[in-house]
Amino acid sequence: MSRKPEEASCRLTIDGREIVVAADTPVIDAAERLGIMIPRFCYHPALGAVGACRMCAVKFLDGPVKGLQMSCMVGARDGMVVSTTNPEAVDFRRQVVEWLMANHPHDCPVCDEGGHCLLQDETISGGHALRRYRGPKRTYRDQDLGPFVAHEMNRCIHCYRCARFYQEVAGGRDYGVLSIARRTYFGRYEGGRLESPFAGNIIDLCPTGTLTDKPSRYRARRWDLERGPSVCLHCSLGCGLTVGARYREVMKLEARLNPEVNGHFICDRGRYGFGYESRPDRPRQPRVDGRETIAGAALAALAEGLKPFEAGKVAMVGGTRSNLETLAALLGLCRDQGWRPPVFFRDARLAGAAESAAAALSGDLVASLADVGRADVILVVCADPLAEAPMLALSLRRAARRGAAVLVLDHRPCDLPCEAERLTFAPQELAGCLSRLAHAALRGRKEAAAYLSSLPLPPDLLPETALALDTWGKRLAEARFPLVVCGTDQAEPTLPALAGGLARLLAGSHDQDRRAGFLPLLPGPNGLAAALAGGGDLEALLADIEDGRATALLVVESDLLSRTPEPERWLAALRKLKLLAVCDHLPSPLLEAAHVVLPSRTVFEAGGHFVNQEGRLQRAMPVFSPGLPMGRTLREGHPPRLFMSCAPGSEPRPAADWLKDLAGLLGAGGRAGDWADLAAAFPGLPGLAAGPAPENGRRCLPETAPGADAPSVAKTGSPDVPPDHLQVLLVERTFGTEELSCRAPLLAASAPEPWVDLAAADAGKAGLAHGAWLLVPLPGGPLRARLRVHQDMAPGLLLLPRDPRLLWQRLAGTGVLVELLRLHAITAEEEPAGEDTTLEAEP
Amino acid sequence: MPLKPDFEPVLFKNRRGDRPATFDEYRQGGGYEALLATVGKKSPEEVVRMVTAAGLTGRGGAGFPTGRKWAGVPASAPYPRYVQPNTDEMEPGTFKDRILVNADPHLVIEGIILCAYAVKAQRGIFFIRPSYESDAQLIERELAVARAAGFLGSGILGSDFSFELSVHRSAGRYICGEATAQVNAIQGLRPNPVKAPGAHLTEAGLWGRPTVVNNVETLASVPHILTRGPEWYKSLAATPTGDGTKLYCVSGKVARPGCYELPMGTRLSDIIYEHAGGMLPGGTFKACLPGGASTAFMPETLFDIPMDFPSLKAVGHHLGTASMIVFDKNTCLLAATINIIRFFVRESCGWCTPCREGLPVILDILERIEAGEAGEADVAWLETMTRQLHHAYCAFAPGAAAPIEGLLRHFRDEVMDHLDGRGCPFGAPELADKPGAWHLPKGGRP
């Protein structure tokens, strides 16, 4: 891919040193490249220059601009001579700090920002110590902004970063600037929880202690924290995180800059999805037959227990939240022992969709999250960005603000923080609609003939819908950088391949300097690696266990019992097993049923590599050594006076280590487990061979995907839905459904009440109103939930979130239909007090 | 210098003491003839050329050449384009727009339509401050009359020129008078000024479309330029550097405060003595603000200066809105400055630090000087901070700095007389409403 011709560069002098930068680079950035950090408050690379704080004033001695100017507002030009140390500039900056400090409460000793406060740094480095201002100070009233953001307006220096992020970048409407002059206020019209799922970023952005992290407030100074780079595990995007831990407990997560992935920001699911690592019910002790034991004994018992089994009867279940090292060990174990291939996905549809998405990916086509912001026409198929990968929604907004057109084809009421056209179809119609759109986009293209002939027939469409699809097809064909996003959570198995094929042909339709992109969403942070590894699915495995074709089961970091729609059937099947071993760090009912429990470490303690949806290998560093959080081992406010060689509760080991040691005990292989073995385990990721991930990750996909041009399209079976019946679909939500973050105490305590969705047409037929309590007759028993009615949702569906607070597992099967007229609203007296809707299965 | 014997008012031609001129009265006096002679008969480019040739300068305070502003709308610019007549008039001491609108609403309306014709605009948004509610209603009423006469709406005078004008009431803040802030205000955004290098409202203003923001006095001058020609208009001025006539507002310690239409460049002394009736009995001229609160005090030594943009600029002053606030020798100019700075402290939009935080600190120092609680170091600091206000984001803080700079430049001795416990020689009137800020011993100053 070739870029546009080299941008004009210019040479300027800053403090006597020359630098060549692209013309119009802000002088503040040019100086930073020379290592000269010009003080700033309002300027932020992700928010741009607005010239509000006046802190970055420098003197322009020569060139097209003269005099004292703000270095963020002036673009670099040839011949500029800039002095950052000119006395006039220094005096002005000193005065700005004095002005900013005139009303400051001087409360650094009790301020959570103390120690990493930009205002503190600039005040001290500028030498401002004594206040000359003798007048009365301004006092603001603070607001309660919800459970995550603490508000202390008296510390505010009015840099406008928070409001600019909240409204411009995140599209939030409920927080912003109020009042004027000296009384300028940053907050909400009334106190209350910040509505945006990206609100936590204003904590990172605030250069003072005005907006601080509420959950970690007063618990640690910055210098007390054990900090390290990590990767977010709450969807497949792999955003960069900085973990801050203290006393064997994660205190807070912050966004870590990764320019091609998340940029400077993360979503609140990623920021507050921790806490599962210090739950009191986390398994920390190896167990054999319910009795606690030591690691060696548990492993020996497991190895001994596995020996009598015929290799073909041993099954392994892996999780897409495991690190790459664990997945490699798991694959190696199955291969070396001749066991059944490991199973990662909950059903055949998801496994098929993930595999077809993975097969369609290649280095020349895959798009990063940053690419989304660069695209000009974006097609989102069968994905609900805010629910499945929240940061994708932020990237879509960035694209839309730059003028990109966004089309979302989905059956759910996708809520996006930007302008987008919505066309709603039933899930089984999506492939047909995509086909119509692809025909319009690729009409007359010879090389597309094979692809087009492989597409399913479009469903019967309303004329205006067909016209809209054709128009969007043309738009994609004419786009400078078209991009196709495809989800896998709800998609038919062939859909990602069709979407990827369309993107590939769109790329081919362009001149040399144009490109197209494909961005699939995959299940879990290591969903791509799992999909490339292949294997079966849990539904098939369940049948095999019931039929006695699998009699020993090893489950590694997969919460299958809490995630299945058929828990009763699984429990019955598990009882048939002769051996069940579980290696995990999450508490689950599965642990109670297990013969052998091997406690594993979380990403914060074990670190490891993850490959995100664009094939980017990223590394999380272990941040602290495992053990019971200090707060829990205190006796009368003091740590127990016990002298031990290890911390209490430090028995968990990295899952990969358990598996490697097990392999050693089982005799075969006994691999060293070095990087070469890991790379060899994933032939679909050739880039792994180059070694562990560098700071911002490295793409590992093959440059081209052989055979991806002509996807093989299997006939997809659409369920026969009798009239006046609803298909119950399990869906993800931004908060409360994802496997790890739904165990996070912070999010569990604050996530909005779970609800079910119904299309307005269906709700009207059944006489159900938005906001009513609904009784849904499911095969496993009735489910009560609040109803939301949507205009922009496909009819014939009931959307049920996999939220542990709902009794969704009463679904007791897949493809469940409910009769529309059997849904009914509960009267006020019948409304549950609350405990009825929570799942008592939490151990 | 008395007026030329043949001077006849232009903008105030139809001004009556008791009520606004009606549509018919305006028509009888030759109103809308410019429009009739222009639409479909002159090209828009021709109108811009004539306004440029007349040397018409913006009457809102900056004195930017109007023709150049209009020519700044690129020929290829997208539609719809907007005209935004500015009647915010929040500058203290300024009331000319209100009187103009009240005297002859159709002169203003005709000027706006001609501007729209010149820049090929489709929509006009008449921005007016909320305290001018009766004037807003007057304009709305007269717009309906003009529309009924076929001067507004689609296909004006049978041509393909269509223009619609509506009234937008401000939420009422000083900064809304600033053109870019006003554009934000109309769009429902915070009225923060916007400054981007190389960006002009005439290219991207309201909703990203070309927008011409002009003071209504400027626009009201346009019909006369078109009917009687640029040369005639230029000749109206009293000085070669001036253009046309100007509405001068005079307030303060004068016998007949009011708004006077005079040739641009009339001498300050003539304005005060010939037209405003001189100082109040017993008063002696001490200083005046020549163009509203955001200009510097002018001392007696400049009493005979011609009041036009270039003449004042040459001596380091600004004509601003040509609203003279006159002070006599019994007035404490420090107290007057405090009064002005309190206004600016309150009206800052809060965007940049010097304005939001610096002005209150400056006000505090001024109040301390007035109370006798300050020393020479405070005056030096005040002077430094005032200079630094010029590095603020927009022109608001430099405007607020102007009276302080005038005070320190021309009346420094008076300021110094306040220091070190002496307090105000005139009796500290400005501190009476500020209880609790200082502990002044009963019966005297510390």
Side-chain angles (χ1 to χ4, degrees), chain A residues 50 52-54 68 95 98-99 103 132 134 138 157-158 160 179 181, chain B residues 173 190 348 350 352-353 356-357 368 378 381 385 388 391-393:
Chain A
V50 291
C53 73
R54 316 311 278 175
L68 194 70
Q95 185 60 64
E98 183 171 6
W99 280 331
N103 286 291
R132 282 184 282 180
R134 287 166 284 167
R138 163 182 63 205
I157 56 163
H158 305 82
Y160 288 79
S179 198
Chain B
R173 298 262 60 125
R190 268 182 81 79
S348 162
C352 73
T353 310
R356 185 189 60 247
E357 310 288 350
R368 270 170 212 284
D378 291 305
W381 187 33
M385 284 195 290
Q388 285 166 335
H391 302 304
Y393 185 84

mmCIF file of all heavy atoms in Angstrom, chain A residues 50 52-54 68 95 98-99 103 132 134 138 157-158 160 179 181, chain B residues 173 190 348 350 352-353 356-357 368 378 381 385 388 391-393:
data_model
loop_
_atom_site.group_PDB
_atom_site.id
_atom_site.type_symbol
_atom_site.label_atom_id
_atom_site.label_comp_id
_atom_site.label_asym_id
_atom_site.label_seq_id
_atom_site.Cartn_x
_atom_site.Cartn_y
_atom_site.Cartn_z
ATOM 1 N N VAL A 50 -6.214 23.824 21.640
ATOM 2 C CA VAL A 50 -7.300 24.798 21.713
ATOM 3 C C VAL A 50 -6.847 26.126 22.310
ATOM 4 O O VAL A 50 -7.596 27.083 22.325
ATOM 5 C CB VAL A 50 -8.504 24.260 22.512
ATOM 6 C CG1 VAL A 50 -9.185 23.143 21.758
ATOM 7 C CG2 VAL A 50 -8.091 23.809 23.898
ATOM 8 N N ALA A 52 -6.349 27.173 25.382
ATOM 9 C CA ALA A 52 -7.119 27.698 26.512
ATOM 10 C C ALA A 52 -6.248 28.037 27.717
ATOM 11 O O ALA A 52 -6.466 29.039 28.370
ATOM 12 C CB ALA A 52 -8.205 26.716 26.919
ATOM 13 N N CYS A 53 -5.247 27.189 28.014
ATOM 14 C CA CYS A 53 -4.551 27.384 29.290
ATOM 15 C C CYS A 53 -3.458 28.432 29.207
ATOM 16 O O CYS A 53 -3.079 28.996 30.220
ATOM 17 C CB CYS A 53 -3.991 26.064 29.805
ATOM 18 S SG CYS A 53 -2.566 25.480 28.885
ATOM 19 N N ARG A 54 -2.941 28.703 28.026
ATOM 20 C CA ARG A 54 -1.873 29.683 27.777
ATOM 21 C C ARG A 54 -0.565 29.284 28.472
ATOM 22 O O ARG A 54 0.278 30.123 28.723
ATOM 23 C CB ARG A 54 -2.262 31.099 28.210
ATOM 24 C CG ARG A 54 -3.647 31.525 27.838
ATOM 25 C CD ARG A 54 -4.026 31.298 26.429
ATOM 26 N NE ARG A 54 -3.597 32.302 25.459
ATOM 27 C CZ ARG A 54 -3.782 32.183 24.149
ATOM 28 N NH1 ARG A 54 -4.373 31.119 23.659
ATOM 29 N NH2 ARG A 54 -3.357 33.099 23.327
ATOM 30 N N LEU A 68 5.547 36.430 21.403
ATOM 31 C CA LEU A 68 5.101 35.404 22.341
ATOM 32 C C LEU A 68 3.853 34.726 21.772
ATOM 33 O O LEU A 68 2.858 35.391 21.500
ATOM 34 C CB LEU A 68 4.779 36.074 23.679
ATOM 35 C CG LEU A 68 4.628 35.150 24.874
ATOM 36 C CD1 LEU A 68 5.972 34.565 25.262
ATOM 37 C CD2 LEU A 68 4.034 35.904 26.052
ATOM 38 N N GLN A 95 3.523 33.505 35.407
ATOM 39 C CA GLN A 95 2.315 34.239 35.786
ATOM 40 C C GLN A 95 1.069 33.385 35.584
ATOM 41 O O GLN A 95 0.151 33.417 36.405
ATOM 42 C CB GLN A 95 2.207 35.533 34.962
ATOM 43 C CG GLN A 95 1.054 36.416 35.373
ATOM 44 C CD GLN A 95 1.166 36.851 36.823
ATOM 45 O OE1 GLN A 95 2.096 37.552 37.204
ATOM 46 N NE2 GLN A 95 0.236 36.391 37.652
ATOM 47 N N GLU A 98 0.742 31.180 38.429
ATOM 48 C CA GLU A 98 0.293 31.924 39.609
ATOM 49 C C GLU A 98 -1.211 32.194 39.533
ATOM 50 O O GLU A 98 -1.923 32.062 40.522
ATOM 51 C CB GLU A 98 1.068 33.242 39.724
ATOM 52 C CG GLU A 98 0.678 34.009 40.975
ATOM 53 C CD GLU A 98 1.563 35.208 41.247
ATOM 54 O OE1 GLU A 98 2.417 35.523 40.410
ATOM 55 O OE2 GLU A 98 1.384 35.820 42.308
ATOM 56 N N TRP A 99 -1.676 32.550 38.338
ATOM 57 C CA TRP A 99 -3.114 32.769 38.178
ATOM 58 C C TRP A 99 -3.889 31.488 38.465
ATOM 59 O O TRP A 99 -4.910 31.495 39.143
ATOM 60 C CB TRP A 99 -3.418 33.245 36.746
ATOM 61 C CG TRP A 99 -3.153 34.695 36.511
ATOM 62 C CD1 TRP A 99 -3.223 35.699 37.426
ATOM 63 C CD2 TRP A 99 -2.786 35.317 35.266
ATOM 64 N NE1 TRP A 99 -2.927 36.904 36.833
ATOM 65 C CE2 TRP A 99 -2.657 36.707 35.507
ATOM 66 C CE3 TRP A 99 -2.556 34.842 33.976
ATOM 67 C CZ2 TRP A 99 -2.310 37.614 34.510
ATOM 68 C CZ3 TRP A 99 -2.220 35.740 32.984
ATOM 69 C CH2 TRP A 99 -2.089 37.123 33.243
ATOM 70 N N ASN A 103 -6.711 30.360 43.073
ATOM 71 C CA ASN A 103 -7.887 29.836 43.765
ATOM 72 C C ASN A 103 -7.714 28.384 44.203
ATOM 73 O O ASN A 103 -8.664 27.760 44.665
ATOM 74 C CB ASN A 103 -9.108 29.932 42.846
ATOM 75 C CG ASN A 103 -9.583 31.347 42.718
ATOM 76 O OD1 ASN A 103 -10.100 31.923 43.671
ATOM 77 N ND2 ASN A 103 -9.378 31.936 41.557
ATOM 78 N N ARG A 132 0.717 35.694 45.790
ATOM 79 C CA ARG A 132 0.615 37.135 45.993
ATOM 80 C C ARG A 132 -0.838 37.583 46.087
ATOM 81 O O ARG A 132 -1.129 38.637 46.619
ATOM 82 C CB ARG A 132 1.314 37.881 44.852
ATOM 83 C CG ARG A 132 2.832 37.878 45.007
ATOM 84 C CD ARG A 132 3.481 38.702 43.915
ATOM 85 N NE ARG A 132 3.522 37.965 42.641
ATOM 86 C CZ ARG A 132 4.039 38.462 41.527
ATOM 87 N NH1 ARG A 132 4.531 39.685 41.516
ATOM 88 N NH2 ARG A 132 4.078 37.742 40.422
ATOM 89 N N ARG A 134 -4.297 38.131 47.402
ATOM 90 C CA ARG A 134 -4.748 38.194 48.784
ATOM 91 C C ARG A 134 -6.273 38.195 48.890
ATOM 92 O O ARG A 134 -6.813 38.374 49.973
ATOM 93 C CB ARG A 134 -4.184 39.461 49.449
ATOM 94 C CG ARG A 134 -2.695 39.385 49.753
ATOM 95 C CD ARG A 134 -2.146 40.767 50.070
ATOM 96 N NE ARG A 134 -1.978 41.568 48.846
ATOM 97 C CZ ARG A 134 -1.757 42.885 48.837
ATOM 98 N NH1 ARG A 134 -1.695 43.558 49.949
ATOM 99 N NH2 ARG A 134 -1.593 43.524 47.691
ATOM 100 N N ARG A 138 -12.321 31.276 45.366
ATOM 101 C CA ARG A 138 -13.550 30.724 44.808
ATOM 102 C C ARG A 138 -13.825 29.368 45.449
ATOM 103 O O ARG A 138 -12.896 28.585 45.672
ATOM 104 C CB ARG A 138 -13.305 30.567 43.311
ATOM 105 C CG ARG A 138 -14.237 29.684 42.561
ATOM 106 C CD ARG A 138 -13.789 29.621 41.111
ATOM 107 N NE ARG A 138 -12.475 29.025 40.968
ATOM 108 C CZ ARG A 138 -11.646 29.255 39.965
ATOM 109 N NH1 ARG A 138 -11.981 30.094 39.011
ATOM 110 N NH2 ARG A 138 -10.484 28.671 39.907
ATOM 111 N N ILE A 157 -8.400 23.608 37.104
ATOM 112 C CA ILE A 157 -7.710 24.721 36.451
ATOM 113 C C ILE A 157 -8.325 25.014 35.089
ATOM 114 O O ILE A 157 -7.755 25.727 34.283
ATOM 115 C CB ILE A 157 -6.204 24.439 36.300
ATOM 116 C CG1 ILE A 157 -5.997 23.143 35.539
ATOM 117 C CG2 ILE A 157 -5.522 24.400 37.652
ATOM 118 C CD1 ILE A 157 -4.606 22.998 34.987
ATOM 119 N N HIS A 158 -9.479 24.448 34.799
ATOM 120 C CA HIS A 158 -10.246 24.816 33.609
ATOM 121 C C HIS A 158 -9.471 24.599 32.312
ATOM 122 O O HIS A 158 -9.391 25.490 31.476
ATOM 123 C CB HIS A 158 -10.714 26.265 33.704
ATOM 124 C CG HIS A 158 -11.483 26.548 34.956
ATOM 125 N ND1 HIS A 158 -10.863 26.805 36.153
ATOM 126 C CD2 HIS A 158 -12.807 26.578 35.200
ATOM 127 C CE1 HIS A 158 -11.782 26.995 37.075
ATOM 128 N NE2 HIS A 158 -12.962 26.858 36.539
ATOM 129 N N TYR A 160 -10.342 22.294 30.232
ATOM 130 C CA TYR A 160 -11.390 21.850 29.295
ATOM 131 C C TYR A 160 -11.123 20.466 28.713
ATOM 132 O O TYR A 160 -11.838 20.037 27.814
ATOM 133 C CB TYR A 160 -11.587 22.855 28.147
ATOM 134 C CG TYR A 160 -12.266 24.143 28.582
ATOM 135 C CD1 TYR A 160 -11.568 25.143 29.232
ATOM 136 C CD2 TYR A 160 -13.620 24.341 28.342
ATOM 137 C CE1 TYR A 160 -12.180 26.309 29.639
ATOM 138 C CE2 TYR A 160 -14.242 25.503 28.737
ATOM 139 C CZ TYR A 160 -13.524 26.484 29.381
ATOM 140 O OH TYR A 160 -14.145 27.638 29.771
ATOM 141 N N SER A 179 -21.834 27.520 33.208
ATOM 142 C CA SER A 179 -21.535 28.845 33.730
ATOM 143 C C SER A 179 -20.337 29.469 33.007
ATOM 144 O O SER A 179 -19.760 28.868 32.104
ATOM 145 C CB SER A 179 -21.285 28.771 35.228
ATOM 146 O OG SER A 179 -21.413 30.046 35.786
ATOM 147 N N ALA A 181 -16.994 32.694 33.079
ATOM 148 C CA ALA A 181 -16.028 33.510 33.807
ATOM 149 C C ALA A 181 -15.374 32.714 34.922
ATOM 150 O O ALA A 181 -15.033 31.548 34.741
ATOM 151 C CB ALA A 181 -16.704 34.770 34.336
ATOM 152 N N ARG B 173 -24.771 37.877 26.933
ATOM 153 C CA ARG B 173 -23.428 37.956 27.509
ATOM 154 C C ARG B 173 -22.572 38.804 26.587
ATOM 155 O O ARG B 173 -22.711 38.763 25.366
ATOM 156 C CB ARG B 173 -22.799 36.562 27.646
ATOM 157 C CG ARG B 173 -23.545 35.658 28.553
ATOM 158 C CD ARG B 173 -23.016 35.540 29.966
ATOM 159 N NE ARG B 173 -22.948 36.711 30.789
ATOM 160 C CZ ARG B 173 -23.514 36.808 31.993
ATOM 161 N NH1 ARG B 173 -24.235 35.825 32.476
ATOM 162 N NH2 ARG B 173 -23.337 37.880 32.708
ATOM 163 N N ARG B 190 -21.623 26.770 23.365
ATOM 164 C CA ARG B 190 -21.113 27.782 24.298
ATOM 165 C C ARG B 190 -20.524 28.927 23.494
ATOM 166 O O ARG B 190 -19.762 28.696 22.556
ATOM 167 C CB ARG B 190 -20.004 27.173 25.154
ATOM 168 C CG ARG B 190 -20.463 26.593 26.442
ATOM 169 C CD ARG B 190 -19.280 26.070 27.218
ATOM 170 N NE ARG B 190 -18.568 27.120 27.941
ATOM 171 C CZ ARG B 190 -18.963 27.639 29.078
ATOM 172 N NH1 ARG B 190 -20.061 27.212 29.632
ATOM 173 N NH2 ARG B 190 -18.262 28.574 29.687
ATOM 174 N N SER B 348 -16.256 37.587 31.332
ATOM 175 C CA SER B 348 -15.305 36.675 30.689
ATOM 176 C C SER B 348 -16.002 35.364 30.363
ATOM 177 O O SER B 348 -16.798 34.862 31.156
ATOM 178 C CB SER B 348 -14.138 36.406 31.638
ATOM 179 O OG SER B 348 -13.447 35.259 31.227
ATOM 180 N N GLY B 350 -14.589 32.589 30.228
ATOM 181 C CA GLY B 350 -13.994 31.532 31.039
ATOM 182 C C GLY B 350 -13.110 30.585 30.251
ATOM 183 O O GLY B 350 -12.707 29.547 30.754
ATOM 184 N N CYS B 352 -9.891 31.162 28.605
ATOM 185 C CA CYS B 352 -8.443 31.122 28.807
ATOM 186 C C CYS B 352 -8.047 31.720 30.153
ATOM 187 O O CYS B 352 -8.776 32.504 30.750
ATOM 188 C CB CYS B 352 -7.705 31.806 27.662
ATOM 189 S SG CYS B 352 -7.837 33.576 27.672
ATOM 190 N N THR B 353 -6.881 31.317 30.609
ATOM 191 C CA THR B 353 -6.450 31.626 31.967
ATOM 192 C C THR B 353 -6.293 33.120 32.240
ATOM 193 O O THR B 353 -6.778 33.593 33.270
ATOM 194 C CB THR B 353 -5.140 30.871 32.257
ATOM 195 O OG1 THR B 353 -5.342 29.512 31.903
ATOM 196 C CG2 THR B 353 -4.764 30.979 33.713
ATOM 197 N N ARG B 356 -9.921 34.535 32.623
ATOM 198 C CA ARG B 356 -10.747 33.936 33.666
ATOM 199 C C ARG B 356 -10.143 34.136 35.048
ATOM 200 O O ARG B 356 -10.838 34.476 36.000
ATOM 201 C CB ARG B 356 -10.928 32.441 33.375
ATOM 202 C CG ARG B 356 -11.855 31.708 34.316
ATOM 203 C CD ARG B 356 -11.790 30.208 34.077
ATOM 204 N NE ARG B 356 -10.441 29.709 34.300
ATOM 205 C CZ ARG B 356 -9.635 29.216 33.359
ATOM 206 N NH1 ARG B 356 -10.063 29.124 32.123
ATOM 207 N NH2 ARG B 356 -8.415 28.819 33.640
ATOM 208 N N GLU B 357 -8.838 33.884 35.170
ATOM 209 C CA GLU B 357 -8.193 33.940 36.482
ATOM 210 C C GLU B 357 -7.442 35.243 36.691
ATOM 211 O O GLU B 357 -7.322 35.725 37.804
ATOM 212 C CB GLU B 357 -7.204 32.768 36.649
ATOM 213 C CG GLU B 357 -7.773 31.406 36.306
ATOM 214 C CD GLU B 357 -8.765 30.896 37.332
ATOM 215 O OE1 GLU B 357 -8.887 31.495 38.417
ATOM 216 O OE2 GLU B 357 -9.445 29.897 37.031
ATOM 217 N N ARG B 368 -7.627 46.902 46.161
ATOM 218 C CA ARG B 368 -6.719 47.145 47.281
ATOM 219 C C ARG B 368 -6.058 48.519 47.163
ATOM 220 O O ARG B 368 -5.851 49.213 48.163
ATOM 221 C CB ARG B 368 -5.648 46.055 47.327
ATOM 222 C CG ARG B 368 -6.092 44.922 48.156
ATOM 223 C CD ARG B 368 -5.223 43.703 48.078
ATOM 224 N NE ARG B 368 -6.106 42.569 48.250
ATOM 225 C CZ ARG B 368 -6.623 42.195 49.419
ATOM 226 N NH1 ARG B 368 -6.304 42.832 50.508
ATOM 227 N NH2 ARG B 368 -7.461 41.186 49.486
ATOM 228 N N ASP B 378 2.717 46.331 44.305
ATOM 229 C CA ASP B 378 1.438 45.900 43.742
ATOM 230 C C ASP B 378 1.174 46.597 42.410
ATOM 231 O O ASP B 378 0.653 45.995 41.478
ATOM 232 C CB ASP B 378 0.306 46.196 44.718
ATOM 233 C CG ASP B 378 0.380 45.329 45.949
ATOM 234 O OD1 ASP B 378 0.408 44.101 45.790
ATOM 235 O OD2 ASP B 378 0.456 45.878 47.061
ATOM 236 N N TRP B 381 3.243 44.942 39.853
ATOM 237 C CA TRP B 381 2.660 43.642 39.487
ATOM 238 C C TRP B 381 1.425 43.855 38.610
ATOM 239 O O TRP B 381 1.216 43.148 37.623
ATOM 240 C CB TRP B 381 2.306 42.863 40.769
ATOM 241 C CG TRP B 381 1.852 41.463 40.521
ATOM 242 C CD1 TRP B 381 2.276 40.629 39.531
ATOM 243 C CD2 TRP B 381 0.873 40.736 41.263
ATOM 244 N NE1 TRP B 381 1.636 39.422 39.622
ATOM 245 C CE2 TRP B 381 0.773 39.456 40.689
ATOM 246 C CE3 TRP B 381 0.097 41.029 42.391
ATOM 247 C CZ2 TRP B 381 -0.084 38.469 41.184
ATOM 248 C CZ3 TRP B 381 -0.755 40.049 42.884
ATOM 249 C CH2 TRP B 381 -0.853 38.778 42.279
ATOM 250 N N MET B 385 0.885 42.293 34.931
ATOM 251 C CA MET B 385 -0.262 41.436 34.587
ATOM 252 C C MET B 385 -1.077 42.063 33.462
ATOM 253 O O MET B 385 -1.576 41.356 32.575
ATOM 254 C CB MET B 385 -1.141 41.222 35.819
ATOM 255 C CG MET B 385 -0.565 40.230 36.800
ATOM 256 S SD MET B 385 -1.779 39.664 37.999
ATOM 257 C CE MET B 385 -2.014 41.121 38.984
ATOM 258 N N GLN B 388 0.456 41.327 30.336
ATOM 259 C CA GLN B 388 0.331 39.913 29.977
ATOM 260 C C GLN B 388 -1.080 39.548 29.509
ATOM 261 O O GLN B 388 -1.263 38.516 28.868
ATOM 262 C CB GLN B 388 0.764 39.046 31.153
ATOM 263 C CG GLN B 388 2.283 39.051 31.284
ATOM 264 C CD GLN B 388 2.762 38.495 32.591
ATOM 265 O OE1 GLN B 388 2.043 38.509 33.569
ATOM 266 N NE2 GLN B 388 3.995 38.030 32.616
ATOM 267 N N HIS B 391 -1.723 38.426 25.928
ATOM 268 C CA HIS B 391 -1.455 37.082 25.417
ATOM 269 C C HIS B 391 -2.628 36.156 25.679
ATOM 270 O O HIS B 391 -2.469 34.949 25.735
ATOM 271 C CB HIS B 391 -0.181 36.527 26.026
ATOM 272 C CG HIS B 391 1.007 37.392 25.758
ATOM 273 N ND1 HIS B 391 1.385 37.743 24.484
ATOM 274 C CD2 HIS B 391 1.871 38.007 26.582
ATOM 275 C CE1 HIS B 391 2.448 38.523 24.541
ATOM 276 N NE2 HIS B 391 2.755 38.710 25.802
ATOM 277 N N ALA B 392 -3.797 36.727 25.866
ATOM 278 C CA ALA B 392 -4.996 35.910 26.058
ATOM 279 C C ALA B 392 -5.468 35.362 24.714
ATOM 280 O O ALA B 392 -4.905 35.681 23.670
ATOM 281 C CB ALA B 392 -6.088 36.749 26.714
ATOM 282 N N TYR B 393 -6.517 34.550 24.777
ATOM 283 C CA TYR B 393 -6.983 33.848 23.573
ATOM 284 C C TYR B 393 -7.620 34.795 22.567
ATOM 285 O O TYR B 393 -7.340 34.726 21.385
ATOM 286 C CB TYR B 393 -7.988 32.778 23.998
ATOM 287 C CG TYR B 393 -8.470 31.892 22.881
ATOM 288 C CD1 TYR B 393 -7.730 30.793 22.483
ATOM 289 C CD2 TYR B 393 -9.661 32.144 22.221
ATOM 290 C CE1 TYR B 393 -8.160 29.970 21.470
ATOM 291 C CE2 TYR B 393 -10.105 31.331 21.204
ATOM 292 C CZ TYR B 393 -9.347 30.239 20.827
ATOM 293 O OH TYR B 393 -9.780 29.427 19.814
#
